[in-house]
């Protein structure tokens, strides 16, 4: 296996740069150093190498000194900081300022150093660089890295080079080089016009070999010609010694941007000129349109003067747009004062309107009352706030004249002979006539044009309010009233609406027209505590007029549900005559009469007295009644034993409840008591229907051949389980509270 060798190799690229510096008498700056791990293995550097195998760190050179032991050797010190770690150093290199690798070396095994993370201390290594002429190498070092300064290095190199014995081989090479100048100097870098005199620097110029002449200084931008003449003992390549002319230039200064308008101008009727940002008259010549009066865009021009050019290198004129802005109209015109309909053409007057500023258009006059839309458009030198210039609409108005209304007649009486009449509305203009009855169940109204027709429906009084809406040109006048008296009832109860029946009741006139026992059909629809009724028609029959009025209230006609085919019926569910706790027609869902009628499941839930006719509880009998009946149902104040629970005959147990659907009490049906609290009868009256001796036997509503027992609301006074009931044969009895029995409730209209 070949022996490993170590050392520094000057690369081909580095050797070429060093040779050029020796021939031209210039310096070669050495600026950077780097180390690497060699790609993980030993290798032998070559002259063709341009980069390290695997660079791990790059930085500045700590120092460069002339070797005291070896001629023409520079010792280059490289210091790797302590915070760089984690690799083996196997290679190092130095670079010129243009990034060319000048020399590369490898390190022997004995110089391998592991720089691990966390290890304190820096790594120092030397490259030994031998060159023919050390004076051409100019090292850029960082003094903070080492104690050797650049001045000390330069002194050491100078002392070394003054020693003729220090580098005999380079003297032999210099003696062997002819005094031939192969390169004509050229301008180094560039110059740009500043307004002050400037001279160029030169590439390849050595004052020891060449004499500089011609034009060597200039101020203005342009091209100048310098001359270079070989000094005695030197010739151009080809042994020519005549001066050579070299052009050098001062470039135009660059104008970075085309000037722009500074600030803003606003039209005021006078001539205006803009001011400019980024404008110097020494650099640019201003031309084009430079002043104006009207709002709008104008175009000025800017041309670079002789020593300037644009950012893109051009020198021709560039356009710059500047503006005079429109003046702002801050307030939109509005109608001044008011107009009222007269039948003639009218036009508004305007606040904040100037015809020089705004052009008026759109609707500018009108006859009829109403809203009109005029338009205002800014003239050429004006704009709206926000910048718009389009037309803006402004509403102006001709108001309506005051309307008027009178009625003929102002009162009206209807009866069977004249069940309808008319009212004429006399109005100004064309406003629509409307009419409303205060009691549509008593008198209805219809309107055709300005004629109001009133039709009597039931006994009572009504106020017909006639109104006229605002018309095209008149406001709505105050409404007028016509009082109407209606004396109409049908002798057949069934032929009257529930609203009419209520009207007779309100007027306490029902007993003058109808009799106890008269009937009116009621259609029941809906599910009541698990039992569904579908279009069941039951006849409600009158049981009394103003019954027990001192306690239960005046102006009431009392009814009971009801009859089918002239038979008294009770509503029965599918659990009839069975005890239980499920939903059904039970007094309570447990076998108790505690709380009496007031707290019973029958009163609150089955019948629905926990709500009202206008807001009945779901799944209650009240909810299953037709809406026209519920609309006229009146509350009844009923007295009952509301304690129960085997408390006996106690007068204080008898208290009032307010009900809409109610079961009758034992005394109200039989006119006597046997099982109810004996004090109930002090607050109750037997209904005239039963006082007249009518049958108390009720039949099943959906099986008219089957007699059934039906509930009364009185709790049994001497027990805690039962409520009173009517037997299938029409007598009195007790029934367990949780038994499902027949229901024949009463109500008042």
């Amino acid at each position: 296996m070949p022996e490993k060798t170590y050392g520094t190799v000057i690369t081909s690229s580095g050797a070429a740069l060093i040779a050029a510096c020796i021939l031209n008498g210039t310096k070669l700056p050495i600026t950077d150093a780097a180390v690497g791990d060699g790609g993980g293995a030993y290798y032998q550097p070559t002259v063709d190498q341009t980069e390290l195998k695997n660079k791990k760190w790059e930085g500045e050179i700590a120092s460069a000194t002339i070797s005291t032991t070896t001629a023409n050797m520079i010792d280059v010190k490289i210091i790797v900081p302590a915070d760089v770690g984690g690799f083996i150093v196997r290679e190092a290199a130095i670079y010129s300022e243009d990034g060319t690798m000048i020399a590369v070396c490898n390190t022997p095994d004995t110089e391998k150093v592991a720089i691990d993370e966390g290890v304190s201390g820096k790594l120092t290594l030397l490259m030994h660089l031998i060159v023919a002429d050390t004076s051409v190498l100019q090292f850029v070092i960082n003094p903070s890295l080492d104690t050797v300064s650049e001045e000390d290095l330069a002194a050491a190199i100078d002392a070394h080079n003054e020693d003729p014995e220090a580098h005999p081989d380079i003297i032999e090479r210099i003696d062997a080089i002819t005094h031939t100048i192969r390169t004509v100097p050229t301008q180094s870098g560039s110059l740009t016009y500043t307004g002050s005199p400037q001279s160029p620097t030169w590439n390849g110029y050595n004052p020891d070999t060449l004499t500089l002449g011609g034009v060597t200084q200039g101020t203005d931008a342009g091209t100048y010609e310098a001359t270079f003449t070989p000094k005695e003992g030197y010739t151009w390549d080809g042994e020519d010694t005549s001066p050579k002319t070299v052009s050098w230039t001062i470039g135009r200064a660059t104008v970075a941007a085309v000037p722009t308008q500074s600030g803003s101008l606003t039209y005021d009727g006078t001539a205006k000129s803009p001011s400019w940002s980024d404008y110097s008259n020494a650099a640019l010549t201003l031309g084009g349109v430079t002043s104006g009066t009207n709002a709008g865009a104008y175009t000025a021009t800017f041309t670079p003067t002789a020593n300037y050019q644009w950012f893109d290198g051009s020198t021709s004129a560039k356009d710059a747009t500047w503006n005079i802005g429109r003046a702002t109209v801050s307030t939109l015109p509005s109608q001044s004062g008011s107009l009222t309909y007269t039948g003639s053409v009218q036009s508004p007057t305007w606040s904040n309107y100037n015809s020089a500023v705004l052009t008026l258009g759109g609707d500018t006059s009108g006859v009829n009352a109403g809203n009109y839309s005029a338009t205002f458009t800014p003239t050429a030198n004006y704009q709206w706030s926000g910048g718009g210039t389009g037309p803006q609409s402004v509403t102006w108005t001709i108001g309506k004249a005051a309307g008027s209304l009178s009625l003929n007649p102002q009162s009206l009486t209807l009866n069977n002979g004249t069940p309808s009449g008319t009212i004429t509305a006399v109005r100004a203009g064309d406003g629509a006539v409307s009419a409303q009855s205060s009691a549509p169940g008593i008198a209805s109204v219809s309107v055709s044009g300005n004629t109001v027709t009133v039709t009597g429906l039931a006994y009572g009084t009504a106020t017909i309010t006639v109104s006229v809406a605002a018309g095209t040109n008149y406001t709505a006048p105050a409404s007028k009233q016509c009082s109407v008296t209606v004396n109409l009832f049908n002798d057949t109860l069934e032929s009257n609406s529930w609203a009419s029946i209520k009207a007779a009741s309100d007027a306490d006139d029902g007993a003058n027209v109808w009799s106890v026992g008269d009937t009116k059909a009621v259609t029941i629809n809906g599910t009541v505590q698990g039992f569904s009724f579908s279009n069941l028609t039951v006849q409600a029959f009158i049981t009394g007029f103003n019954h027990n009025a001192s306690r239960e209230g005046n102006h009431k006609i009392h009814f009971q549900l009801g009859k089918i085919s002239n038979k008294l019926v009770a509503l029965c569910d599918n659990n009839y005559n069975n005890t239980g706790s499920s939903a059904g027609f039970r007094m309570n869902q447990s076998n108790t009469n505690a709380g009496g009628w007031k707290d019973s499941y029958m009163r609150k839930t089955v019948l629905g007295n926990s709500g009202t006719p206008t807001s009945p509880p779901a799944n209650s009998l009240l909810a299953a009644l037709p809406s026209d009946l519920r609309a006229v149902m009146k509350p009844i104040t009923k007295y009952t034993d509301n304690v129960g629970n085997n408390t006996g005959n106690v007068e204080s147990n008898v208290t009032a409840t307010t009900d809409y659907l109610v079961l009758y009490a034992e005394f109200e049906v039989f006119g006597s008591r046997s099982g109810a609290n004996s004090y109930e009868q002090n607050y109750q009256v037997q209904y005239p229907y039963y006082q007249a001796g009518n049958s108390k036997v009720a039949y099943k509503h959906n099986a008219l051949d089957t007699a059934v027992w039906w509930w009364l609301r009185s709790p049994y006074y001497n027990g805690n389980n039962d409520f009173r009931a009517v037997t299938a044969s029409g007598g009195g009895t007790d029934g367990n509270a949780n038994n499902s029995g027949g229901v024949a409730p009463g109500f008042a209209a």
Side-chain angles (χ1 to χ4, degrees), residues 634-659:
K634 298 178 179 179
I636 311 172
T637 300
K638 287 290 188 179
Y639 286 82
T640 318
D641 185 333
N642 288 318
V643 177
N645 203 26
N646 198 23
T647 54
N649 291 314
V650 178
E651 185 174 9
S652 62
N653 287 1
V654 180
T655 57
T657 58
T658 299
D659 299 304

Side-chain angles (χ1 to χ4, degrees), residues 658-676:
T658 299
D659 299 304
Y660 290 94
L661 277 178
V662 63
L663 298 184
Y664 286 169
E666 180 182 40
F667 189 79
E668 291 171 336
V669 173
F670 291 103
S672 62
R673 50 80 56 188
S674 61

Side-chain angles (χ1 to χ4, degrees), residues 580-650:
S581 61
S582 63
F585 296 175
R586 314 175 193 280
M587 292 300 291
N588 283 310
Q589 289 179 289
S590 60
N591 193 22
T592 179
N593 63 12
W597 165 247
K598 178 180 179 181
D599 293 334
S600 69
Y601 165 74
M602 172 65 72
R603 174 179 177 268
K604 293 181 177 180
T605 305
V606 179
L607 298 183
N609 287 297
S610 58
T612 65
T614 56
S615 182
N619 299 315
S620 67
L621 182 58
L622 187 61
L625 296 180
S627 59
D628 61 339
L629 171 56
R630 285 190 284 112
V632 302
M633 290 177 70
K634 298 178 179 179
I636 311 172
T637 300
K638 287 290 188 179
Y639 286 82
T640 318
D641 185 333
N642 288 318
V643 177
N645 203 26
N646 198 23
T647 54
N649 291 314
V650 178

Side-chain angles (χ1 to χ4, degrees), residues 435-656:
Q436 185 174 12
S437 171
S438 64
I442 295 173
S444 65
V445 293
S446 62
V447 178
S448 175
N450 66 338
T451 300
V452 178
T453 299
V454 183
T455 301
L457 299 175
Y459 175 83
T461 61
T463 298
I464 307 303
T465 299
V466 179
S467 302
V468 174
T472 303
N473 293 309
Y474 291 91
T475 60
S479 298
K480 301 290 184 178
Q481 286 78 38
C482 177
S483 59
V484 177
T485 300
V486 181
N487 297 318
L488 290 175
F489 294 116
N490 194 300
D491 292 343
T492 302
L493 181 65
E494 181 62 46
S495 299
N496 293 272
S497 67
W498 281 110
S500 178
I501 293 170
K502 177 181 179 298
S505 174
D506 292 344
D508 286 334
D509 202 29
N512 297 325
V513 185
W514 308 299
S515 302
V516 170
D518 285 356
T519 63
K520 180 167 178 60
V522 175
T523 301
I524 304 175
N525 270 300
T527 299
V528 180
Q529 297 302 307
F531 184 81
S532 293
F533 292 97
S534 179
N535 293 322
L536 175 66
T537 298
V538 179
Q539 298 294 321
F541 59 92
I542 296 175
T543 55
F545 296 96
N546 284 333
H547 175 75
N548 197 16
S550 63
R551 296 190 184 277
E552 299 185 17
N554 284 303
H555 312 302
K556 294 180 175 66
I557 300 176
H558 290 246
F559 291 85
Q560 188 175 6
L561 279 178
K563 292 183 179 182
I564 298 177
S565 299
N566 208 32
K567 282 187 174 183
L568 179 66
V569 295
L571 305 177
C572 299
D573 66 7
N574 292 332
N575 293 315
Y576 171 74
N577 209 29
N578 289 311
T579 58
S581 61
S582 63
F585 296 175
R586 314 175 193 280
M587 292 300 291
N588 283 310
Q589 289 179 289
S590 60
N591 193 22
T592 179
N593 63 12
W597 165 247
K598 178 180 179 181
D599 293 334
S600 69
Y601 165 74
M602 172 65 72
R603 174 179 177 268
K604 293 181 177 180
T605 305
V606 179
L607 298 183
N609 287 297
S610 58
T612 65
T614 56
S615 182
N619 299 315
S620 67
L621 182 58
L622 187 61
L625 296 180
S627 59
D628 61 339
L629 171 56
R630 285 190 284 112
V632 302
M633 290 177 70
K634 298 178 179 179
I636 311 172
T637 300
K638 287 290 188 179
Y639 286 82
T640 318
D641 185 333
N642 288 318
V643 177
N645 203 26
N646 198 23
T647 54
N649 291 314
V650 178
E651 185 174 9
S652 62
N653 287 1
V654 180
T655 57

Side-chain angles (χ1 to χ4, degrees), residues 152-173:
D152 293 338
L153 172 62
I157 292 175
D158 290 341
H160 175 75
N161 289 336
E162 289 173 1
D163 181 1
E165 300 301 325
H167 39 75
D169 56 339
I170 192 60
I171 294 176
E172 290 177 2
R173 287 188 62 196

Side-chain angles (χ1 to χ4, degrees), residues 704-723:
L704 295 181
D705 293 333
T706 302
V708 295
W709 63 271
W710 48 286
W711 283 117
L712 300 173
R713 72 175 186 275
S714 303
Y716 178 50
Y717 81 100
N718 199 29
N720 57 10
N721 303 118
D722 300 333
F723 282 84

